[in-house]
Amino acid sequence: GPKVLQIPSHQIIDMGQMVTLNCDPVSNHLYFYWYKQILGQQMEFLVNFYNGKVMEKSKLFKDQFSVERPDGSYFTLKIQPTALEDSAVYFCASSFRDWYAEQFFGPGTRLTVL
Amino acid sequence: GEQVEQRPPHLSVREGDSAVIICTYTDPNSYYFFWYKQEPGAGLQLLMKVFSSTEINEGQGFTVLLNKKDKQLSLNLTAAHPGDSAVYFCAVSPLPGTGSNRLTFGKGTKFSLIP
């Protein structure tokens, strides 16, 4: 079936550095999402993105976070600067429409901030 | 906002046995409901999506029941086999037109077979 890819699978960085997480969504999908899962906790919604704009974001989507998808390339989540509490697995998802649509998930990027 | 409680967090059964995972949600405006399966190193795979007041859906080796009156969603795995070992997540999303299509997830149930 359709697959969402995430690059890299693991990333270790020092606190205060910038990090960019990359997502290659399903090719004909129009809506894109990031979710965050801290070890042992629930997966939580961060943001969704459509037509070049953030449509909805949660309180977890701090000012240090930004998303973009320039020219139909990777859908990216940038964190600048990173903090210790940003350590988590970040899941990207995409869907064809915005309601009652299956969100297809990638395998996640494990981010460790030291 | 919506809160979803999923239980149990861990579940082990013998091959051929059945098992039930239950999610309880709080927001009566939650409208769409999903079960996802996650195998190690893989993304979440959709098992079933449901809506409407009360619905029983049967898939391959499982049954999903939605009871909106009690705000409860359940996944019944029938005749467990090794391929069922994974983490299972329920998720809910709100009514269309509310301006949100975020999924709110349960904490997950780690399901395994007793050797």
Side-chain angles (χ1 to χ4, degrees), chain A residues 31 33 35 37 40-45 48 55-59 91 95 97-108, chain B residues 4-5 32-34 36 38 41-46 49-51 55 89 93 96 99-108:
Chain A
Y31 295 83
Y33 314 81
Y35 291 82
Q37 186 180 35
Q41 298 185 23
Q42 271 145 310
M43 196 175 309
E44 294 189 90
F45 170 81
N48 72 30
M55 302 303 290
E56 184 188 5
K57 59 184 180 181
S58 72
K59 62 182 186 305
F91 291 92
S95 65
R97 60 171 190 262
D98 62 344
W99 57 269
Y100 201 45
E102 176 180 356
Q103 292 183 20
F104 287 80
F105 283 79
Chain B
V4 177
E5 185 179 319
Y32 298 123
F33 305 85
F34 305 83
Y36 282 90
Q38 185 181 33
L44 279 72
Q45 171 199 349
L46 181 71
K49 57 183 183 181
V50 296
F51 70 109
E55 187 166 334
F89 294 93
S93 69
S100 173
N101 65 329
R102 67 169 71 184
L103 292 177
T104 301
F105 283 86
K107 271 195 176 183

Side-chain angles (χ1 to χ4, degrees), chain B:
Chain B
E2 174 66 279
Q3 294 182 44
V4 177
E5 185 179 319
Q6 182 173 343
R7 63 180 196 275
H10 300 276
L11 186 54
S12 296
V13 303
R14 299 193 186 283
E15 187 170 349
D17 285 352
S18 63
V20 178
I21 303 170
I22 296 174
C23 285
T24 306
Y25 60 96
T26 57
D27 188 348
N29 290 321
S30 285
Y31 199 77
Y32 298 123
F33 305 85
F34 305 83
W35 281 103
Y36 282 90
K37 175 183 180 182
Q38 185 181 33
E39 294 176 285
L44 279 72
Q45 171 199 349
L46 181 71
L47 286 179
M48 183 73 74
K49 57 183 183 181
V50 296
F51 70 109
S52 138
S53 57
T54 305
E55 187 166 334
I56 299 176
N57 275 28
E58 293 190 5
Q60 196 166 9
F62 59 89
T63 303
V64 169
L65 172 63
L66 170 63
N67 183 334
K68 278 197 167 184
K69 176 176 168 291
D70 294 334
K71 298 196 209 60
Q72 203 166 75
L73 176 71
S74 64
L75 173 68
N76 185 333
L77 297 166
T78 54
H81 61 86
D84 291 334
S85 294
V87 181
Y88 292 83
F89 294 93
C90 62
V92 306
S93 69
L95 270 169
T98 59
S100 173
N101 65 329
R102 67 169 71 184
L103 292 177
T104 301
F105 283 86
K107 271 195 176 183
T109 296
K110 189 170 184 180
F111 180 78
S112 58
L113 292 192
I114 299 169

Side-chain angles (χ1 to χ4, degrees), chain A residues 20-84:
Chain A
T20 300
L21 307 183
N22 298 293
C23 172
D24 187 8
V26 178
S27 60
N28 64 340
H29 284 185
L30 302 175
Y31 295 83
F32 311 106
Y33 314 81
W34 284 103
Y35 291 82
K36 174 183 180 181
Q37 186 180 35
I38 295 174
L39 186 64
Q41 298 185 23
Q42 271 145 310
M43 196 175 309
E44 294 189 90
F45 170 81
L46 284 176
V47 66
N48 72 30
F49 188 84
Y50 167 73
N51 198 26
K53 297 176 197 167
V54 170
M55 302 303 290
E56 184 188 5
K57 59 184 180 181
S58 72
K59 62 182 186 305
L60 296 179
F61 194 78
K62 305 180 296 185
D63 291 343
Q64 297 89 329
F65 288 29
S66 62
V67 290
E68 63 175 357
R69 191 182 188 219
D71 301 323
S73 59
Y74 288 149
F75 174 52
T76 63
L77 173 65
K78 184 186 292 185
I79 309 174
Q80 181 178 26
T82 51
L84 295 176

Side-chain angles (χ1 to χ4, degrees), chain A residues 11-27:
Chain A
Q11 179 89 50
I12 301 173
I13 58 168
D14 291 323
M15 183 177 61
Q17 284 190 315
M18 182 195 77
V19 69
T20 300
L21 307 183
N22 298 293
C23 172
D24 187 8
V26 178
S27 60

